[in-house]
Amino acid sequence: MPRRHRHHHRSQHRRVQGGLRAQREAQRLVGAQSPGAEEEGAAASSSTVTPGTLEEVPAAATPSPPGSPQGASSSPTGLASNQGSSNQEEEGPSSSQDPASVQREALEEKISDLIHFLLLKYRIKELITKEEMLDIVIKDYQDHFAEIFREASDCMQLVFGVDVKEVDPAGQSYILVTSVGLTYYEELNDDQRFPKVGLLIIVLGLIFLEGDCAPEEVIWEGLGVMGVHAGMEHVMYGEPRKLVTQDWVREGYLEYRQVANSDPACYEFLWGPRAHAETSKLKVLEYVAKVNGCDPRSFPLLYEEALRDEEEGM
């Protein structure tokens, strides 16, 4: 992308920050789960996962549905629920008795439980069936399965970069695969309990937003909106500098190079050969747009470029 368009990409970069802030809240709440509950479940097979393992986990956040208005409404639903509860405690029991609020809170707990159940399945690499989800997680809320499943699946994709894909419509079974076509493999264990591929996709998106070549400071600025800072331990990603500047470079997903003739030395990021081979600008733009709660056509120049890139690759 010509450098003369860089100012346009900067404005697009600022535009997605609302979606990245929502990501930060979702990560904070999802990451607040009890480590003991996750470890207890991870040691078990699907046949021995007990309801108590899931019910001990605090409510997780879920991103707003794609296309929802930006601003306060783009915050995760779990966050909105928590904020509401806090206000009710200060102002007294008013709307806390509202049946609709009570039901929504109960549904959010089920969404949280299902998210952690799906994370467990991703970790132990097992197929998921609708029957399991109903019996182990959903229980008395089976009439709301479609809503709970949709919101939990959205959270898996937008926060963790993991797609829930149906593999057997007749038997209603599902597998968990990395989003946007990446083959990135993660060995999840007690030290790394959360998938990191969602962060990688965000980095690829930030690079594309910057015209295919992003200054390092722009990448850290964008990740900082999500609460991810170089040199600081993150609940999901650990210390991210090594992950971004070394691990993903070694994996071939990113290129990290010194800017020519820069003194003092400055660095920039590009897509690596493996990113070009496994995904496309269009898929990454669609992912970033969904994080931001909008249509990819809301980024007209980037969308046109992604379509051209798609056609040239066919």
Side-chain angles (χ1 to χ4, degrees):
M1 175 63 65
R3 294 284 178 171
R4 62 177 176 274
H5 293 316
R6 176 57 59 83
H7 71 283
H8 174 78
H9 286 279
R10 289 290 173 86
S11 67
Q12 301 284 30
H13 173 77
R14 289 192 295 271
R15 182 178 178 183
V16 305
Q17 288 187 349
L20 295 180
R21 289 189 185 96
Q23 289 288 85
R24 177 177 184 171
E25 296 302 332
Q27 291 166 5
R28 180 177 65 82
L29 291 168
V30 173
Q33 69 166 315
S34 164
E38 176 84 1
E39 291 163 7
E40 180 182 330
S45 67
S46 61
S47 60
T48 58
V49 173
T50 62
T53 302
L54 298 170
E55 290 172 350
E56 291 168 6
V57 178
T62 52
S64 298
S68 63
Q70 294 303 298
S73 62
S74 68
S75 298
T77 56
L79 176 63
S81 173
N82 289 347
Q83 289 174 332
S85 300
S86 175
N87 292 336
Q88 289 159 10
E89 289 174 6
E90 295 174 3
E91 298 171 6
S94 54
S95 60
S96 62
Q97 304 305 314
D98 177 32
S101 298
V102 172
Q103 178 166 341
R104 181 59 199 172
E105 184 176 342
L107 289 178
E108 286 180 355
E109 287 185 9
K110 290 301 178 183
I111 293 166
S112 168
D113 287 348
L114 185 54
I115 289 167
H116 293 302
F117 181 70
L118 294 172
L119 284 170
L120 167 63
K121 287 292 194 172
Y122 183 72
R123 178 175 174 178
I124 61 180
K125 301 175 178 61
E126 282 193 358
L127 199 71
I128 310 110
T129 66
K130 182 178 179 180
E131 182 180 8
E132 277 184 303
M133 290 186 276
L134 291 172
D135 291 347
I136 297 175
V137 183
I138 309 300
K139 298 178 185 175
D140 296 334
Y141 290 84
Q142 297 193 13
D143 290 345
H144 298 275
F145 173 77
E147 177 186 358
I148 294 169
F149 181 69
R150 182 184 67 252
E151 294 202 33
S153 298
D154 280 349
C155 184
M156 290 294 294
Q157 181 185 53
L158 300 182
V159 175
F160 299 112
V162 175
D163 292 340
V164 183
K165 290 195 176 246
E166 191 174 49
V167 293
D168 180 12
Q172 295 179 304
S173 58
Y174 305 84
I175 58 170
L176 297 165
V177 298
T178 51
S179 301
V180 306
L182 299 182
T183 64
Y184 182 57
Y185 175 78
E186 299 179 89
E187 185 67 51
L188 300 184
N189 50 43
D190 290 348
D191 295 327
Q192 182 186 333
R193 296 181 292 116
F194 298 106
K196 299 178 180 179
V197 67
L199 185 68
L200 171 59
I201 300 170
I202 291 295
V203 173
L204 294 174
L206 290 172
I207 293 170
F208 179 39
L209 289 172
E210 284 295 310
D212 299 335
C213 181
E216 181 173 14
E217 63 269 20
V218 172
I219 295 296
W220 291 117
E221 177 188 350
L223 297 185
V225 175
M226 299 167 58
V228 179
H229 304 279
M232 292 180 59
E233 193 75 11
H234 189 275
V235 67
M236 292 185 181
Y237 309 121
E239 198 293 295
R241 179 178 290 280
K242 178 177 179 294
L243 182 67
V244 175
T245 63
Q246 296 181 39
D247 296 350
W248 288 338
V249 173
R250 184 174 61 252
E251 292 274 350
Y253 284 113
L254 298 177
E255 182 181 346
Y256 180 62
R257 69 187 187 189
Q258 183 175 341
V259 177
N261 303 318
S262 60
D263 186 19
C266 299
Y267 294 85
E268 59 191 3
F269 287 94
L270 298 86
W271 282 26
R274 191 171 170 187
H276 284 291
E278 293 181 359
T279 190
S280 68
K281 293 177 180 179
L282 183 59
K283 289 178 181 177
V284 170
L285 181 61
E286 288 171 344
Y287 185 95
V288 171
K290 192 171 182 180
V291 166
N292 205 43
C294 64
D295 189 277
R297 284 181 284 267
S298 300
F299 306 92
L301 290 181
L302 294 173
Y303 185 68
E304 291 173 11
E305 180 185 348
L307 286 179
R308 285 196 305 270
D309 191 72
E310 198 87 358
E311 292 170 359
E312 291 170 3
M314 295 177 66

